[in-house]
Amino acid sequence: MYNNFKKLTLTAAVAAVAFASQANAGGYQINEQSVSGQGYGHAGRSSNVNDATIVFGNPAGMSFLDRAQVTAGGTYLNVNTDIRNVEASRTLDAGVAMGGAPAGVQVPIGGVPGTNDGDMVPGTLIPFAFYAQPVNDRLAFGFGVYAPFGAKTDYEDSFQGRYFGDYTEIRVVSAQPTVSYRFNDQWSVGAGVTYNRVDGELRRQLPTGPGFDPATDVDSRVEGDDDAWGYNLGVIYQPVPETTFGLTYRSKVDYTLDGTFVARDPAGNVVRADDNATLDLTTPETINFSLTQQMSDRLKLMFGTSWVRWSRFDQILVQGSQGDTITQEQQDYSNAWAFATGGEYQLTPQLALRAGVTLDFTPTSDEFRSVRIPSDDRRIFSIGAGWSPTPDLTLDFAYSYLTERGTFVEQERRDLLASAQTGGQPIGGVNYSADYKNEAHGFGAQLTYRF
């Protein structure tokens, strides 16, 4: 019955890591590295120099800062999901259903017991911290610690789609030393090296009998981690003091995750364990371009676009310790775009008001969308404010409302209930389909202190 655990669980792991790598840019690629930028929808991410968060936004921008400063903060995300029109059915080999040997054809035998609460994304705080140090009028150094990628879904134990994944948690933390050089009043360049640490845990359930009872399911999970290096490049061009163009390139990062797999029965007994499977994962490169235009002494407007090369992710490939292929599945991702526009109004010398709108398109297709990350195209509306009670201190606050286009998930498996008695031949399967509607609220706060 359990000879397929390793294959099934590691397949889910690869899918979840790959999905997680595109948060808030059409999936779950995290955009929350600046609360001041969140206020105007990150429209001026590569061109608007507010504080030390420019270390991430565009390393070239550090040389536009007039003194050393540290910026730290975070955004709390609260996600709500509505699941409707659920259809979940199970199948069994026709011969087994009749009490005989497997016949090689599976037939419907009824529904899958379970629930669809939809409250599967816990509230999450995403922190960050940056430091920027001008050395002279041209040269600056900086350092940042932030989360570029991450995702978490935690369905209830009785979730009807639990055989496709009921728990996903991926965390990536990056540390980035950075240097910037300003050639003249118009041109500046910057570069940063990123050290990235990824770890995560993926779970799914496996039935132990044709009833597919959640009380008798086996819990299978995989944990993996790796670290890898990447880099960021940036350039800023300011043809006149009122107009700033910014361009940032973030490299792909190649990981090889070592996975530890374990499957336990409801009593907690280990049914099977394996720590020798590995998987390769490449997170794609990103290009961000933005424009900041100073319209008057008080008002500036910003426009930005981002492109992610998700076409790199065309398949899932998991290999065993002997180099054997455990699973290989087509994904067929498309390159993804996001567009943003926003503005900032300096109401008083101490108070700046901000607002922005972002359109964020998903690279996923209807054919391969998963219950682990059931996301689609997004619209994000943001407001924010920056208050500077003294020239040395600024407090920034922001709120964002994210609404996704309603999306449809449809998945099926035919490789469940395999056992030694059937020679490993899968004799049972599951179909699951549902309509998902997601929305999220983001509350951000940060502090900048200048030395």
Side-chain angles (χ1 to χ4, degrees), residues 29 40 92-93 109 134 142 175 192 219 238 261 294 310 323 336 409 412:
Q29 181 182 19
Y40 44 78
L92 191 64
D93 187 278
I109 60 170
D219 178 74
Q238 197 174 70
F261 166 77
Q294 193 75 43
W310 272 112
V409 171
E412 67 175 72

Side-chain angles (χ1 to χ4, degrees), residues 204-229:
R204 63 183 303 272
Q205 302 301 302
L206 293 171
T208 58
F212 287 58
D213 183 355
T216 62
D217 286 342
V218 166
D219 178 74
S220 59
R221 61 183 67 187
V222 65
E223 298 180 58
D225 57 67
D226 191 26
D227 50 60
W229 295 87

Side-chain angles (χ1 to χ4, degrees), residues 194-406:
T194 62
Y195 170 76
N196 310 279
R197 179 73 182 178
V198 58
D199 64 272
E201 181 179 347
L202 297 310
R203 306 175 194 168
R204 63 183 303 272
Q205 302 301 302
L206 293 171
T208 58
F212 287 58
D213 183 355
T216 62
D217 286 342
V218 166
D219 178 74
S220 59
R221 61 183 67 187
V222 65
E223 298 180 58
D225 57 67
D226 191 26
D227 50 60
W229 295 87
Y231 62 91
N232 294 351
L233 302 174
V235 60
I236 284 182
Y237 173 56
Q238 197 174 70
V240 295
E242 297 80 17
T243 303
T244 305
F245 296 94
L247 181 67
T248 305
Y249 172 85
R250 297 181 182 88
S251 73
K252 67 175 183 176
V253 179
D254 296 317
Y255 298 98
T256 298
L257 280 76
D258 294 319
T260 300
F261 166 77
V262 64
R264 292 184 173 90
D265 64 20
N269 300 313
V270 175
V271 175
R272 179 167 178 171
D274 194 328
D275 60 359
N276 294 321
T278 62
L279 59 94
D280 292 330
L281 172 69
T282 298
T283 57
E285 55 266 59
T286 301
I287 298 175
N288 179 271
F289 171 79
S290 68
L291 163 67
T292 298
Q293 180 65 48
Q294 193 75 43
M295 306 298 294
S296 67
D297 290 342
R298 295 191 174 189
L299 176 65
K300 60 181 172 182
L301 300 179
M302 288 152 279
F303 307 90
T305 182
S306 294
W307 178 83
V308 184
R309 192 179 179 182
W310 272 112
S311 59
R312 284 189 177 278
F313 184 54
D314 61 349
Q315 68 173 348
I316 294 171
L317 179 61
V318 182
Q319 294 182 308
S321 58
Q322 303 303 315
D324 54 308
T325 298
I326 297 175
T327 187
Q328 186 173 12
E329 299 181 10
Q330 191 70 24
Q331 293 300 303
D332 196 28
Y333 266 34
S334 300
N335 297 330
W337 288 88
F339 304 92
T341 183
E344 179 178 280
Y345 186 77
Q346 195 71 41
L347 185 64
T348 70
Q350 292 79 33
L351 181 62
L353 303 179
R354 305 170 182 131
V357 178
T358 304
L359 300 178
D360 205 352
F361 297 98
T362 181
T364 62
S365 64
D366 293 340
E367 184 177 359
F368 298 110
R369 190 169 290 111
S370 165
V371 298
R372 289 191 179 275
I373 309 293
S375 63
D376 212 306
D377 296 339
R378 298 170 170 183
R379 292 171 294 169
I380 306 171
F381 306 91
S382 302
I383 57 174
W387 178 52
S388 301
T390 72
D392 298 333
L393 177 66
T394 298
L395 301 175
D396 292 289
F397 304 93
Y399 166 76
S400 298
Y401 172 69
L402 180 153
T403 178
E404 283 190 358
R405 183 178 68 175

